[in-house]
Amino acid sequence: MSPRRNRPRGGESPATAPFAERQRYGGGGATESWRGEEWSVRPVSGASAAGKRYRCPGCDQEIPSGLPHLVTWPEFGGIEDRRHWHKACWNARDRRTTRVQRSRNAPRY
C-alpha cells in the first residue's frame, strides 16, 4: 500500500485559492465594519512573533508566542492603533461587555 497523498493533484494555485484558505495560513486580509468604523483585519501565523507577547483586548489574556491570531487596526489609523486579538475574541467582540473582569491573580500589565 502506498502512502496517502497530502497534496491535491493539479488543483488551484495559491493566487486563485479561496480567501478563507489563504487566510488560514496568514496571507491576505479583509476590511470589516465595527462600531461605525472600518477596520483592517489581517491573520498572523504567529511564527513571526516568536518571543513577543501581546494582550488581547477582547479577553484581556496574553496571546502566547507562536499562536496564530489576528491583527486589527482602524482603516485610517496608525501603527499605534494596531491590536492583536484571538480569532474567537474578534468574532465575539459584539457579545462582550465593555469592562472585562480580571481574575485575582491575573497580571496587571
Side-chain angles (χ1 to χ4, degrees):
M1 175 183 238
S2 63
R4 181 175 66 100
R5 236 186 210 293
N6 287 330
R7 295 185 184 155
R9 294 183 188 179
E12 53 201 22
S13 68
T16 62
F19 172 73
E21 188 70 22
R22 286 193 318 249
Q23 187 178 17
R24 180 186 311 164
Y25 299 106
T31 303
E32 296 185 22
S33 184
W34 182 45
R35 293 186 179 172
E37 196 172 1
E38 293 296 314
W39 287 73
S40 295
V41 180
R42 193 182 105 216
V44 177
S45 67
S48 62
K52 296 181 181 177
R53 293 179 168 181
Y54 301 108
R55 185 161 295 278
C56 175
C59 64
D60 201 34
Q61 298 295 314
E62 194 171 282
I63 299 174
S65 177
L67 183 76
H69 59 279
L70 299 174
V71 177
T72 64
W73 63 93
E75 190 68 31
F76 298 106
I79 291 175
E80 65 277 354
D81 295 327
R82 288 187 302 183
R83 298 291 175 259
H84 294 255
W85 292 71
H86 293 107
K87 187 172 183 178
C89 293
W90 176 256
N91 291 338
R93 65 193 178 275
D94 292 327
R95 296 186 303 269
R96 302 243 182 214
T97 61
T98 56
R99 175 125 171 100
V100 176
Q101 298 290 322
R102 293 182 189 210
S103 65
R104 289 183 184 168
N105 57 356
R108 299 224 179 256
Y109 54 88

